[in-house]
Amino acid sequence: MNQADFVESYRGDAKLGLPFAQVGWLTEKWSFRLYYLPYFRERTFPGVRGRLRFAANVDTDNATYEPRLGAFFPSGAARVSYRGENLDVNFGLLSGLSREPRFVAELTTGNVAPRYDLMQSASMDVQWALGGFVIKGEGYARALTSKLIPYGGGGLGADYMFPDALAGADITFAVEYLQDFRPLDAPITLFKYDAFAGVRVAANDSGNTTINTGALVDVTDGTTFGRLDVTHSFGDHFRASLDVNLFLGPQGTLAGSFRRDSYGGAHVAYFF
């Protein structure tokens, strides 16, 4: 439901808050929730001096909307969740404005402007655990604009954890395959036919040190997004983190515009 903050994270895991009202019903294993969102927030994009940058600058000051109410067009959502001993299932519905914009070329400036269309969306994800082995599956279906242009996608993955594998650390190996079936007139995506492999190391020490590394590879053209992330806590309030992001892609592709945008960063956070 929340909008992605593409300035903060290209992975879509950083979100912009939205005002909403919620009602729900909870049992030991089931939960039912309804949401009403009276206002919409536009996705953020880096400017001409920011990273990651597309080949064309995104003119966020001239965003357009399909409904006349624009950002004040309300959205509604519903979510049903089941939490079993070894099985988790989530089902969601969203009706309102698409969180992913299409882009319209501005012929006079060479920039592109975001276009937010009406969207109806349904999604489902399942996770089944058996000991250290976890299988995950997810999928979605959408109908875009008032013409209800259909498309969808999904993924399947598995994790396996080796507890106390090395000097008390837990090591988890993960693999996943993602596929997206969207037409050319749908919002663009970097992840259409992709395979992921990664490793997570949890040191189980006093600082809760964790190391995550992995790579997402487009199986059609070899475009690769790689990432290394290390975190460590100090005392009761401080946490330090280090991340390295690598982008490799052929010229002439959307992801290829990020070839010179590989970067690393170090962060220190204080928690009250």
Side-chain angles (χ1 to χ4, degrees):
M1 296 189 306
N2 285 332
Q3 180 61 276
D5 185 351
F6 201 73
V7 173
E8 185 68 23
S9 173
Y10 71 91
R11 297 174 296 163
D13 53 349
K15 301 294 184 178
L16 301 172
L18 287 170
F20 69 91
Q22 170 189 325
V23 293
W25 179 55
L26 307 178
T27 69
E28 183 178 351
K29 293 185 177 181
W30 290 89
S31 65
F32 303 85
R33 293 182 173 90
L34 296 175
Y35 301 88
Y36 174 75
L37 300 93
Y39 182 73
F40 175 82
R41 293 186 68 179
E42 298 172 5
R43 179 168 295 191
T44 59
F45 293 94
V48 294
R49 297 182 180 274
R51 295 177 185 267
L52 304 170
R53 291 180 297 174
F54 295 106
N57 183 51
V58 180
D59 185 2
T60 55
D61 293 331
N62 288 301
T64 59
Y65 294 83
E66 181 180 0
R68 293 184 178 181
L69 290 176
F72 290 94
F73 187 87
S75 297
R79 184 175 178 85
V80 180
S81 299
Y82 171 80
R83 297 287 183 270
E85 183 177 353
N86 297 312
L87 179 67
D88 293 345
V89 181
N90 299 292
F91 179 76
L93 296 172
L94 176 63
S95 177
L97 287 168
S98 172
R99 273 51 181 166
E100 296 179 301
R102 292 189 294 152
F103 295 103
V104 179
E106 298 177 335
L107 299 181
T108 57
T109 64
N111 298 330
V112 294
R115 164 79 173 183
Y116 295 96
D117 298 295
L118 295 172
M119 180 199 67
Q120 316 301 322
S121 177
S123 62
M124 183 177 181
D125 62 87
V126 179
Q127 178 175 293
W128 177 67
L130 181 62
F133 192 69
V134 179
I135 297 177
K136 304 175 182 178
E138 58 184 13
Y140 77 92
R142 288 177 185 162
L144 189 68
T145 78
S146 56
K147 298 179 180 179
L148 301 179
I149 301 171
Y151 66 96
L156 183 65
D159 301 352
Y160 190 83
M161 183 181 70
F162 295 90
D164 197 12
L166 181 64
D170 299 334
I171 301 179
T172 302
F173 294 92
V175 294
E176 188 171 357
Y177 179 74
L178 306 169
Q179 193 157 340
D180 196 280
F181 306 93
R182 63 180 64 196
L184 294 177
D185 51 356
I188 60 175
T189 179
L190 297 173
F191 313 110
K192 293 202 73 174
Y193 307 98
D194 297 89
F196 170 82
V199 179
R200 181 179 189 270
V201 179
N204 296 322
D205 57 0
S206 60
N208 292 321
T209 303
T210 59
I211 303 173
N212 294 284
T213 185
L216 184 68
V217 180
D218 189 310
V219 299
T220 60
D221 60 17
T223 297
T224 301
F225 292 173
R227 180 176 174 84
L228 169 68
D229 181 80
V230 182
T231 62
H232 181 81
S233 298
F234 300 90
D236 297 328
H237 301 286
F238 287 95
R239 184 175 67 188
S241 61
L242 172 70
D243 62 90
V244 178
N245 299 270
L246 177 67
F247 306 98
L248 302 172
Q251 292 183 344
T253 63
L254 176 62
S257 61
F258 302 150
R259 294 171 64 220
R260 301 180 62 183
D261 283 356
S262 297
Y263 70 95
H267 313 270
V268 176
Y270 181 85
F271 297 90
F272 295 93

